[in-house]
Amino acid sequence: MSGAEQVEIERKYDVAAGSAVPDLTEVEGVEAVTRHEGVPLDALYFDTADQALAANHIIIRRRSGGADEGWHVKLPADEGRTEVHWPLEDGSEESVPEGVLERLAPVLAGRTVTPLARIHTVRTLVHLQDAAGNDVAEIADDEVSTTDLRAGTKRAWREWEAELLPGAPATRDERTALLDDIERVLVAAGARPSSTVAKIARALGADADFEG
């Protein structure tokens, strides 16, 4: 089965453990915010023994919990990332779906993929709405704990992710301006641009090569 695709445009921020998401109605074009209850997410990441996927800026993830649970492949794109989804039932806990393997066959070149790291997240979403009530962006307030399954190393941290939603502006310049304005408010509240580009990179103690 082929996966469903979407574009993901987001920025990540490191924050202190006790930080509270600030009032984002300060952001131009944001008229209201809605805060949701925290949801536990469990994600298992995969790669080859020589991390061929990471070297090509690709991620395979199996996530349970939340509205987008399923198998995800993240691929580099001109703006943000392309994220391809398959349902959970297309594979098992440690068996990657055939559709995923077929999609990545040119990169895998016959290599086997195995579990790389497990990431537990308690995610609290804050949705930002415009005057018409459209969701233009969301802030994911994440409490993260991870295990590097190959090295056995455990890590934990807190981060915020600002991600654009379908109601975001139509042009790239406008989308960038919206993210810049969100960033201004988050940084004023104590956030700083993330030291790593992806949870999986931080789980492995490195920032190299990952893009999502």
Side-chain angles (χ1 to χ4, degrees):
M1 176 187 293
S2 60
E5 296 190 14
Q6 67 181 43
V7 176
E8 180 182 71
I9 304 171
E10 68 178 18
R11 297 181 186 178
K12 296 177 184 289
Y13 301 90
D14 294 333
V15 294
S19 300
V21 176
D23 178 9
L24 287 153
T25 56
E26 295 182 30
V27 174
E28 184 175 356
V30 174
E31 296 296 324
V33 298
T34 302
R35 186 178 179 88
H36 302 273
E37 292 294 323
V39 175
L41 310 174
D42 180 78
L44 189 61
Y45 287 73
F46 294 77
D47 207 336
T48 61
D50 59 356
Q51 295 190 27
L53 296 178
N56 285 276
H57 314 296
I58 296 169
I59 287 173
I60 296 176
R61 176 182 72 195
R62 180 189 188 275
R63 173 186 280 170
S64 59
D68 68 340
E69 69 176 7
W71 289 90
H72 305 153
V73 170
K74 298 191 177 191
L75 304 162
D78 177 54
E79 183 184 11
R81 296 168 297 187
T82 298
E83 187 168 290
V84 193
H85 292 216
W86 286 261
L88 280 182
E89 56 266 25
D90 278 13
S92 60
E93 172 73 7
E94 297 188 3
S95 177
V96 177
E98 285 301 317
V100 174
L101 299 177
E102 290 171 6
R103 177 70 181 257
L104 300 178
V107 175
L108 294 174
R111 298 178 183 87
T112 299
V113 296
T114 56
L116 179 65
R118 184 177 293 277
I119 299 179
H120 295 282
T121 303
V122 177
R123 169 166 289 180
T124 302
L125 291 177
V126 179
H127 282 150
L128 284 58
Q129 289 101 26
D130 62 16
N134 300 310
D135 288 333
V136 297
E138 69 180 17
I139 308 300
D141 182 0
D142 290 346
E143 297 179 30
V144 186
S145 58
T146 70
T147 303
D148 179 335
L149 296 174
R150 298 179 183 179
T153 306
K154 297 181 183 294
R155 296 179 172 87
W157 67 90
R158 177 88 170 276
E159 70 178 34
W160 293 340
E161 294 179 0
E163 181 175 349
L164 298 183
L165 296 178
T171 72
R172 185 168 185 164
D173 285 347
E174 289 173 322
R175 290 191 292 272
T176 299
L178 174 58
L179 285 172
D180 286 346
D181 207 15
I182 291 171
E183 180 168 297
R184 175 184 60 79
V185 177
L186 296 182
V187 168
R192 59 191 184 279
S194 182
S195 56
T196 56
V197 295
K199 286 183 175 67
I200 181 59
R202 191 161 180 174
L204 300 177
D207 190 28
D209 295 325
F210 288 95
E211 292 289 346

